[in-house]
Amino acid sequence: MTDHSDTIALWPAPYASGAVDAIVTVPGSKSVTNRALILAALAADPGWLRRPLRSRDTLLMADALRSMGIGIEETVSSSSEVSGLSGGRGESWRVIPGTPLAPAAVDVGNAGTVMRFLPPLAALADGPIRFDGDPRSRVRPLGSLIEALRGLGARVEDEGRGSLPMTVRGVGSVEGGPVTVDASTSSQFISALLLSGPRFNQGVEVRHTGGRLPSLPHIRMTVDMLRKAGAQVDAPDSGGEPNVWRVTPGALLGRDLVVEPDLSNAQPFLAAALVTGGTVTIPDWPAHTTQPGDELRRIFTEMGGSCVLDDRGLTLTGTGRVLGIDADLSEVGELTPGIAAVASLAETESVLRGIGHLRLHETDRLAALRKEINALGGDVTETEDGLRIRPRPLRGGVFHTYEDHRLATAGAVLGLVVKDVEIEDIATTGKTMPDFPDLWHRMLAGERD
C-alpha cells in the first residue's frame, strides 16, 4: 500500500459539534443499475431505467455497452442536476438493445461489475472485444470466470494470467449448458454467467464448486431481476439444488424499471446518526429488497441504534451509546468498512467474521482498515477471515483510502467524532456516490432534503 497523501489533496473530515438531525436522499443503487443495464442490453425490446445511478462504475458500464453498439439515451428533467453525476429523480435512461458489435475496447476502471458482467455478453459478439482497466483491476480475480466462459464455448485470450487485460473473441453465439465455477472469491462470477444465460443456446447451469460463497444477497438480486425480466431461473433458495443455478434460454423483456436507492451508500449517513446520538432519515427505503444494505437495520440496531421503517423511509436514531458486535458479514461484506469504523468508536470489542474475500476487493480492505484505524490510535487486528476491533481513544491524522470509495466514507464517519481527521482522495467516492462530500456537509447542516 502506497502513501499518496503528498500528491493527492486531503479533505478535512467535518467534525460534528452535536447530534446530527437530517433527511438524506441517497442516489440509486449501483448494483441494480449495472445489472439492469446488462439485462436491458440483452432484451428483445427497448427498456427504461428511471433514477439510475450516475457514477464512475455505472458510466463505465454504459460507455462499454455503447462501444458494443447498444443504444443508451439519457434524458434529464429540470428537477435533476444536469451537470452532476448522482442521477436525480427526473433522470431516465432508454436502452435500445441489439447484438453486441465487435471489435471494441472496454475500459472497466476498477469496477467489479463491469469487468465480470460484460465478458459473457461480449462472447455473443462476432469478433474481438478487449478488456482492461485501472492498475488495481489487473490484480483482481477473474480466472474462474475466464475458465467458465471457455467451458461454455467462448474463446478468451488472457496469456495465462487469469486476469486483465484480456480479449474475448466471440463468434456470434455461445453454446452454454452446464459449467462449474469457483466463486469463493467473488459472487459476481455467478451473477455474470446468469445475466447473459438466457441468450446462450442452451441457457446455463452454473454449479459453484469452491469454498464458502460470499455476498449471497447479490446473487439473489441477480435471480430476482432476471425473473422480472421474463427469464426462467431455478435457484437454491427457491427449492433448487444447493449451489446450482439454472437459466433457461429465452427472450428477455424490455422493462420500465425504477432503481431503488443504494442502501449500502446510505450506510455512512445512518452511521452518523448512530455515532453522534442523532437522527437520520433515508427516504424511499424499500419495504422489500434484495440489496445487502437492508441488513443495516439489524446490524446498527444491535450496535445501539433504533430503526423505524415507515412511509417516510428508514429513520435511524442513535441512543448515545455505541456497542460492539460479533457478526458474520459474509453475505454483506461491502458493509464492512463502515461497520469497522463504527466498531472502533464503540464501548466494547467487536469481531467481524466471514470476510476474508475482502482482501481481493478494490483494495485489501482488511489490511487497509487495520492500518488506517490503528494509525489514528485504534486497536485492530486481522484474523484469518476478518477483523477484531478493540475500542481505543482515537486521534486526528490522515486516513488513506487506496482508491477505495468505502474506505473514504468510513474515514468520514470517524471524523464526525474524532477531531482533525483528513481523508486522502475523497473524490474516490465518485465510484458509486459522486455527491458524497456535498451530501455529508448538507447532513451536518441539518438539511431535510
Coordinates of all heavy atoms in Angstrom, one line a residue, residues 91-160:
E91 N -34.2 11.8 -13.8 CA -33.4 11.3 -14.9 C -33.8 9.9 -15.3 O -34.2 9.0 -14.5 CB -31.9 11.2 -14.4 CG -31.0 10.6 -15.5 CD -29.6 11.0 -15.3 OE1 -29.3 11.7 -14.3 OE2 -28.7 10.6 -16.1
S92 N -33.8 9.6 -16.6 CA -34.1 8.3 -17.2 C -33.1 7.9 -18.3 O -32.6 8.8 -18.9 CB -35.5 8.3 -17.7 OG -36.5 8.5 -16.7
W93 N -32.8 6.6 -18.4 CA -32.0 6.1 -19.5 C -32.9 5.2 -20.3 O -33.5 4.3 -19.8 CB -30.8 5.4 -19.0 CG -29.8 6.2 -18.3 CD1 -29.8 7.6 -18.2 CD2 -28.6 5.7 -17.6 NE1 -28.7 8.0 -17.5 CE2 -27.9 6.9 -17.1 CE3 -28.0 4.5 -17.4 CZ2 -26.7 6.8 -16.4 CZ3 -26.9 4.4 -16.7 CH2 -26.2 5.5 -16.2
R94 N -32.9 5.4 -21.6 CA -33.6 4.5 -22.5 C -32.6 3.6 -23.2 O -31.6 4.1 -23.8 CB -34.4 5.3 -23.6 CG -35.2 4.3 -24.5 CD -36.2 5.2 -25.4 NE -37.0 4.3 -26.2 CZ -36.9 4.1 -27.5 NH1 -35.9 4.6 -28.1 NH2 -37.7 3.3 -28.2
V95 N -32.7 2.3 -23.1 CA -31.8 1.3 -23.6 C -32.4 0.7 -24.8 O -33.4 0.1 -24.7 CB -31.4 0.3 -22.5 CG1 -30.3 -0.7 -23.1 CG2 -30.9 1.0 -21.3
I96 N -31.7 0.8 -25.9 CA -32.1 0.1 -27.2 C -31.2 -1.1 -27.4 O -30.0 -0.9 -27.7 CB -32.0 1.1 -28.4 CG1 -32.9 2.3 -28.1 CG2 -32.4 0.4 -29.7 CD1 -32.3 3.5 -27.6
P97 N -31.7 -2.3 -27.2 CA -30.8 -3.5 -27.3 C -30.4 -3.8 -28.7 O -30.9 -3.3 -29.7 CB -31.7 -4.6 -26.7 CG -33.1 -4.1 -27.0 CD -33.1 -2.6 -26.9
G98 N -29.5 -4.7 -28.8 CA -29.0 -5.2 -30.1 C -27.9 -6.2 -29.9 O -27.5 -6.5 -28.8
T99 N -27.5 -6.9 -31.0 CA -26.5 -7.8 -30.9 C -25.2 -7.1 -30.7 O -24.9 -6.1 -31.4 CB -26.4 -8.6 -32.3 OG1 -27.6 -9.3 -32.5 CG2 -25.3 -9.6 -32.2
P100 N -24.4 -7.5 -29.7 CA -23.1 -6.8 -29.4 C -22.2 -6.8 -30.6 O -22.1 -7.8 -31.3 CB -22.5 -7.7 -28.3 CG -23.7 -8.4 -27.6 CD -24.6 -8.6 -28.7
L101 N -21.6 -5.6 -30.9 CA -20.8 -5.4 -32.0 C -19.3 -5.5 -31.6 O -18.9 -5.1 -30.5 CB -21.1 -4.1 -32.7 CG -22.5 -3.9 -33.2 CD1 -22.6 -2.5 -33.8 CD2 -22.9 -4.9 -34.2
A102 N -18.5 -6.0 -32.6 CA -17.0 -6.0 -32.4 C -16.4 -5.6 -33.7 O -17.0 -5.6 -34.7 CB -16.6 -7.5 -32.0
P103 N -15.2 -5.1 -33.7 CA -14.3 -5.0 -32.5 C -14.7 -3.9 -31.6 O -15.3 -2.9 -32.0 CB -12.9 -4.8 -33.1 CG -13.2 -4.1 -34.4 CD -14.5 -4.6 -34.9
A104 N -14.2 -4.0 -30.3 CA -14.5 -2.9 -29.3 C -13.4 -3.0 -28.3 O -12.8 -4.1 -28.1 CB -15.9 -3.0 -28.7
A105 N -13.2 -1.9 -27.5 CA -12.3 -1.9 -26.4 C -13.1 -1.4 -25.2 O -13.8 -0.3 -25.3 CB -11.1 -1.0 -26.7
V106 N -13.0 -2.1 -24.1 CA -13.8 -1.7 -22.9 C -12.8 -1.3 -21.8 O -11.9 -2.1 -21.4 CB -14.6 -2.9 -22.4 CG1 -15.2 -2.7 -21.1 CG2 -15.7 -3.2 -23.4
D107 N -13.0 -0.1 -21.2 CA -12.3 0.3 -20.0 C -13.2 0.0 -18.8 O -14.3 0.5 -18.7 CB -12.1 1.8 -20.1 CG -11.5 2.4 -18.8 OD1 -11.0 1.6 -18.0 OD2 -11.4 3.6 -18.7
V108 N -12.7 -0.9 -18.0 CA -13.5 -1.4 -16.8 C -13.3 -0.5 -15.6 O -13.9 -0.7 -14.6 CB -13.3 -2.9 -16.5 CG1 -13.4 -3.7 -17.7 CG2 -11.9 -3.0 -15.8
G109 N -12.3 0.4 -15.7 CA -11.9 1.2 -14.5 C -11.4 0.2 -13.4 O -10.5 -0.6 -13.6
N110 N -12.1 0.3 -12.2 CA -11.8 -0.7 -11.2 C -13.2 -1.2 -10.7 O -13.4 -1.5 -9.5 CB -11.0 -0.1 -10.0 CG -10.6 -1.1 -9.0 OD1 -10.5 -2.3 -9.3 ND2 -10.2 -0.7 -7.8
A111 N -14.1 -1.4 -11.7 CA -15.5 -1.8 -11.3 C -15.6 -3.3 -11.5 O -15.5 -3.8 -12.6 CB -16.5 -1.1 -12.2
G112 N -15.8 -4.0 -10.4 CA -16.0 -5.4 -10.5 C -17.2 -5.9 -11.4 O -17.1 -6.8 -12.1
T113 N -18.3 -5.1 -11.3 CA -19.5 -5.5 -12.1 C -19.1 -5.3 -13.6 O -19.6 -6.1 -14.4 CB -20.7 -4.6 -11.8 OG1 -20.3 -3.2 -11.8 CG2 -21.2 -4.9 -10.4
V114 N -18.4 -4.3 -14.0 CA -18.0 -4.1 -15.4 C -17.1 -5.2 -15.9 O -17.3 -5.8 -17.0 CB -17.5 -2.7 -15.7 CG1 -17.1 -2.5 -17.1 CG2 -18.4 -1.7 -15.2
M115 N -16.0 -5.5 -15.1 CA -15.0 -6.4 -15.6 C -15.5 -7.9 -15.6 O -15.0 -8.7 -16.3 CB -13.7 -6.3 -14.7 CG -13.8 -6.9 -13.3 SD -12.3 -6.7 -12.4 CE -12.2 -5.0 -12.1
R116 N -16.6 -8.1 -14.8 CA -17.1 -9.5 -14.7 C -18.4 -9.7 -15.5 O -18.7 -10.8 -16.0 CB -17.3 -9.9 -13.3 CG -15.9 -10.0 -12.6 CD -15.9 -10.0 -11.1 NE -14.6 -10.1 -10.6 CZ -14.2 -9.6 -9.4 NH1 -15.1 -9.0 -8.6 NH2 -13.0 -9.7 -8.9
F117 N -19.3 -8.7 -15.5 CA -20.6 -8.9 -16.1 C -20.5 -8.8 -17.6 O -21.3 -9.4 -18.4 CB -21.6 -7.9 -15.6 CG -22.1 -8.0 -14.2 CD1 -23.0 -7.1 -13.6 CD2 -21.6 -9.1 -13.4 CE1 -23.4 -7.2 -12.3 CE2 -22.0 -9.2 -12.1 CZ -22.9 -8.3 -11.5
L118 N -19.6 -8.1 -18.2 CA -19.5 -7.8 -19.6 C -18.9 -8.9 -20.4 O -19.3 -9.2 -21.6 CB -18.9 -6.5 -19.9 CG -19.8 -5.3 -19.7 CD1 -19.0 -4.0 -19.9 CD2 -21.0 -5.3 -20.7
P119 N -17.9 -9.6 -20.0 CA -17.3 -10.7 -20.8 C -18.3 -11.7 -21.3 O -18.2 -12.1 -22.5 CB -16.2 -11.3 -20.0 CG -15.7 -10.1 -19.1 CD -17.0 -9.4 -18.8
P120 N -19.2 -12.2 -20.5 CA -20.2 -13.2 -21.1 C -21.0 -12.6 -22.2 O -21.3 -13.2 -23.2 CB -21.0 -13.6 -19.9 CG -20.1 -13.4 -18.7 CD -19.4 -12.1 -19.1
L121 N -21.4 -11.3 -22.0 CA -22.1 -10.6 -23.1 C -21.3 -10.4 -24.3 O -21.7 -10.6 -25.5 CB -22.7 -9.3 -22.6 CG -23.5 -8.4 -23.5 CD1 -24.5 -7.6 -22.7 CD2 -22.7 -7.4 -24.3
A122 N -20.0 -10.1 -24.1 CA -19.1 -9.9 -25.2 C -18.9 -11.2 -26.0 O -18.6 -11.1 -27.2 CB -17.7 -9.4 -24.7
A123 N -19.0 -12.3 -25.4 CA -18.9 -13.6 -26.1 C -20.0 -13.8 -27.1 O -19.8 -14.6 -28.0 CB -18.9 -14.7 -25.1
L124 N -21.0 -13.0 -27.1 CA -22.1 -13.1 -28.0 C -21.8 -12.3 -29.3 O -22.6 -12.4 -30.3 CB -23.4 -12.6 -27.4 CG -24.0 -13.5 -26.2 CD1 -25.1 -12.7 -25.5 CD2 -24.5 -14.8 -26.8
A125 N -20.8 -11.5 -29.3 CA -20.4 -10.6 -30.4 C -19.7 -11.5 -31.5 O -19.2 -12.6 -31.2 CB -19.6 -9.5 -30.0
D126 N -19.6 -11.0 -32.7 CA -18.9 -11.7 -33.7 C -17.6 -10.9 -34.0 O -17.5 -10.1 -34.8 CB -19.7 -11.7 -35.0 CG -19.1 -12.6 -36.1 OD1 -18.1 -13.2 -35.8 OD2 -19.7 -12.7 -37.2
G127 N -16.6 -11.2 -33.1 CA -15.3 -10.6 -33.2 C -14.7 -10.3 -31.9 O -15.3 -10.6 -30.8
P128 N -13.6 -9.6 -31.8 CA -12.8 -9.4 -30.6 C -13.3 -8.2 -29.8 O -13.5 -7.1 -30.4 CB -11.4 -9.2 -31.1 CG -11.5 -8.6 -32.4 CD -12.8 -9.1 -33.0
I129 N -13.4 -8.3 -28.5 CA -13.6 -7.2 -27.6 C -12.6 -7.3 -26.5 O -12.5 -8.3 -25.8 CB -15.0 -7.3 -27.0 CG1 -16.1 -7.1 -28.1 CG2 -15.2 -6.2 -25.9 CD1 -17.5 -7.2 -27.7
R130 N -11.8 -6.2 -26.3 CA -10.7 -6.2 -25.4 C -11.1 -5.5 -24.1 O -11.8 -4.5 -24.1 CB -9.5 -5.5 -26.0 CG -8.3 -5.4 -25.1 CD -7.1 -4.8 -25.8 NE -6.0 -4.5 -24.9 CZ -5.1 -5.4 -24.4 NH1 -5.2 -6.6 -24.7 NH2 -4.1 -5.0 -23.6
F131 N -10.7 -6.1 -23.0 CA -11.0 -5.5 -21.7 C -9.7 -5.2 -20.9 O -8.7 -6.0 -20.9 CB -11.7 -6.6 -20.8 CG -13.1 -6.9 -21.3 CD1 -13.3 -7.8 -22.3 CD2 -14.2 -6.2 -20.8 CE1 -14.6 -8.1 -22.8 CE2 -15.5 -6.5 -21.2 CZ -15.7 -7.4 -22.2
D132 N -9.7 -4.0 -20.4 CA -8.6 -3.6 -19.5 C -9.1 -2.5 -18.6 O -10.2 -2.0 -18.8 CB -7.4 -3.1 -20.3 CG -6.0 -3.1 -19.6 OD1 -6.0 -3.5 -18.4 OD2 -5.0 -2.7 -20.1
G133 N -8.3 -2.0 -17.6 CA -8.7 -1.0 -16.7 C -7.6 -0.4 -15.9 O -6.5 -0.4 -16.2
D134 N -8.0 0.1 -14.7 CA -7.0 0.7 -13.8 C -6.0 -0.4 -13.3 O -6.3 -1.6 -13.4 CB -7.7 1.2 -12.5 CG -8.7 2.3 -12.8 OD1 -8.8 2.8 -14.0 OD2 -9.5 2.7 -11.9
P135 N -4.8 0.1 -12.9 CA -3.8 -0.9 -12.4 C -4.4 -1.9 -11.4 O -4.1 -3.1 -11.5 CB -2.7 0.0 -11.8 CG -2.8 1.3 -12.5 CD -4.3 1.4 -12.8
R136 N -5.2 -1.5 -10.5 CA -5.7 -2.4 -9.5 C -6.6 -3.5 -10.1 O -6.7 -4.6 -9.6 CB -6.5 -1.6 -8.4 CG -7.3 -2.5 -7.4 CD -6.4 -3.3 -6.5 NE -7.1 -4.2 -5.6 CZ -6.5 -5.1 -4.8 NH1 -5.2 -5.1 -4.6 NH2 -7.3 -5.9 -4.0
S137 N -7.3 -3.1 -11.2 CA -8.2 -4.1 -11.8 C -7.4 -5.3 -12.3 O -8.0 -6.4 -12.5 CB -9.0 -3.5 -13.0 OG -8.1 -3.2 -14.1
R138 N -6.1 -5.1 -12.6 CA -5.3 -6.2 -13.2 C -4.9 -7.3 -12.2 O -4.4 -8.3 -12.5 CB -4.1 -5.6 -13.8 CG -4.3 -4.8 -15.1 CD -3.1 -4.4 -15.8 NE -3.3 -3.8 -17.1 CZ -2.4 -3.6 -18.0 NH1 -1.2 -4.0 -17.8 NH2 -2.7 -3.0 -19.1
V139 N -5.1 -7.0 -10.9 CA -4.8 -8.0 -9.8 C -6.1 -8.5 -9.2 O -6.0 -9.4 -8.3 CB -3.9 -7.4 -8.8 CG1 -2.6 -6.9 -9.4 CG2 -4.5 -6.2 -8.0
R140 N -7.2 -8.1 -9.6 CA -8.5 -8.6 -9.1 C -8.8 -9.9 -9.8 O -8.6 -10.1 -11.0 CB -9.6 -7.6 -9.2 CG -9.4 -6.3 -8.4 CD -10.5 -5.3 -8.5 NE -11.7 -5.9 -7.7 CZ -12.8 -5.2 -7.6 NH1 -12.9 -4.0 -8.2 NH2 -13.8 -5.7 -7.0
P141 N -9.4 -10.9 -9.1 CA -9.5 -12.2 -9.6 C -10.6 -12.3 -10.8 O -11.7 -11.7 -10.7 CB -10.0 -13.0 -8.4 CG -10.6 -12.1 -7.4 CD -9.8 -10.8 -7.6
L142 N -10.2 -13.0 -11.8 CA -11.1 -13.2 -13.0 C -10.9 -14.6 -13.5 O -11.7 -15.1 -14.3 CB -10.7 -12.2 -14.1 CG -11.5 -10.9 -14.2 CD1 -11.0 -10.1 -15.4 CD2 -13.0 -11.1 -14.3
G143 N -9.9 -15.4 -13.0 CA -9.5 -16.7 -13.6 C -10.7 -17.6 -13.6 O -10.9 -18.3 -14.6
S144 N -11.5 -17.7 -12.5 CA -12.6 -18.7 -12.5 C -13.6 -18.4 -13.6 O -14.2 -19.3 -14.2 CB -13.2 -18.7 -11.1 OG -12.3 -19.2 -10.1
L145 N -13.9 -17.1 -13.8 CA -14.9 -16.7 -14.8 C -14.3 -17.0 -16.2 O -15.1 -17.5 -17.1 CB -15.2 -15.2 -14.7 CG -16.2 -14.6 -15.7 CD1 -17.5 -15.3 -15.6 CD2 -16.3 -13.1 -15.5
I146 N -13.1 -16.7 -16.4 CA -12.5 -17.0 -17.7 C -12.6 -18.5 -18.0 O -13.0 -18.9 -19.2 CB -11.0 -16.5 -17.7 CG1 -10.9 -15.0 -17.7 CG2 -10.3 -17.1 -19.0 CD1 -9.5 -14.4 -17.5
E147 N -12.2 -19.3 -17.1 CA -12.3 -20.8 -17.3 C -13.8 -21.2 -17.5 O -14.0 -22.1 -18.4 CB -11.7 -21.5 -16.1 CG -10.2 -21.4 -16.1 CD -9.5 -21.8 -17.4 OE1 -9.8 -22.9 -17.9 OE2 -8.7 -21.0 -17.9
A148 N -14.7 -20.6 -16.8 CA -16.1 -20.9 -17.0 C -16.6 -20.6 -18.4 O -17.3 -21.3 -19.1 CB -17.0 -20.3 -16.0
L149 N -16.2 -19.4 -18.9 CA -16.6 -19.0 -20.2 C -16.0 -19.9 -21.3 O -16.7 -20.3 -22.2 CB -16.1 -17.5 -20.5 CG -16.9 -16.4 -19.8 CD1 -16.2 -15.1 -20.0 CD2 -18.3 -16.4 -20.4
R150 N -14.8 -20.3 -21.1 CA -14.2 -21.3 -22.0 C -15.0 -22.6 -22.0 O -15.2 -23.3 -23.0 CB -12.7 -21.6 -21.7 CG -11.8 -20.4 -22.0 CD -10.4 -20.5 -21.5 NE -9.5 -19.5 -21.9 CZ -8.5 -19.0 -21.3 NH1 -8.1 -19.7 -20.1 NH2 -7.7 -18.1 -21.7
G151 N -15.4 -23.0 -20.8 CA -16.2 -24.2 -20.7 C -17.5 -24.2 -21.3 O -18.1 -25.2 -21.7
L152 N -18.0 -22.9 -21.6 CA -19.3 -22.7 -22.2 C -19.1 -22.5 -23.7 O -20.1 -22.3 -24.4 CB -20.0 -21.5 -21.6 CG -20.5 -21.7 -20.2 CD1 -20.9 -20.4 -19.6 CD2 -21.6 -22.7 -20.1
G153 N -17.9 -22.6 -24.2 CA -17.7 -22.5 -25.6 C -17.1 -21.1 -26.1 O -16.9 -20.9 -27.3
A154 N -16.8 -20.2 -25.2 CA -16.3 -18.9 -25.6 C -14.7 -19.0 -25.7 O -14.1 -19.8 -25.1 CB -16.6 -17.9 -24.6
R155 N -14.2 -18.1 -26.5 CA -12.7 -18.0 -26.7 C -12.2 -16.8 -26.0 O -12.7 -15.7 -26.3 CB -12.4 -18.0 -28.2 CG -10.9 -17.9 -28.4 CD -10.6 -17.8 -29.9 NE -9.2 -17.6 -30.2 CZ -8.7 -17.3 -31.4 NH1 -9.5 -17.2 -32.5 NH2 -7.4 -17.0 -31.6
V156 N -11.4 -17.0 -25.0 CA -10.9 -15.9 -24.2 C -9.3 -15.9 -24.2 O -8.7 -17.0 -23.9 CB -11.4 -15.9 -22.7 CG1 -10.9 -14.7 -21.9 CG2 -12.9 -16.0 -22.7
E157 N -8.7 -14.8 -24.5 CA -7.2 -14.7 -24.6 C -6.7 -13.9 -23.4 O -7.0 -12.7 -23.4 CB -6.8 -14.1 -25.9 CG -7.2 -15.0 -27.1 CD -7.0 -14.3 -28.4 OE1 -6.5 -13.1 -28.4 OE2 -7.2 -14.9 -29.5
D158 N -6.0 -14.5 -22.5 CA -5.5 -13.7 -21.3 C -4.1 -14.0 -21.1 O -3.5 -13.6 -20.0 CB -6.3 -14.0 -20.1 CG -6.1 -15.5 -19.6 OD1 -5.9 -16.4 -20.5 OD2 -6.3 -15.7 -18.4
E159 N -3.4 -14.8 -22.0 CA -2.0 -15.1 -21.9 C -1.7 -15.8 -20.6 O -0.6 -15.7 -20.0 CB -1.1 -13.9 -22.0 CG -1.2 -13.2 -23.4 CD -0.4 -12.0 -23.5 OE1 0.4 -11.7 -22.6 OE2 -0.4 -11.3 -24.6
G160 N -2.7 -16.6 -20.1 CA -2.5 -17.4 -18.9 C -2.5 -16.7 -17.6 O -2.3 -17.3 -16.5

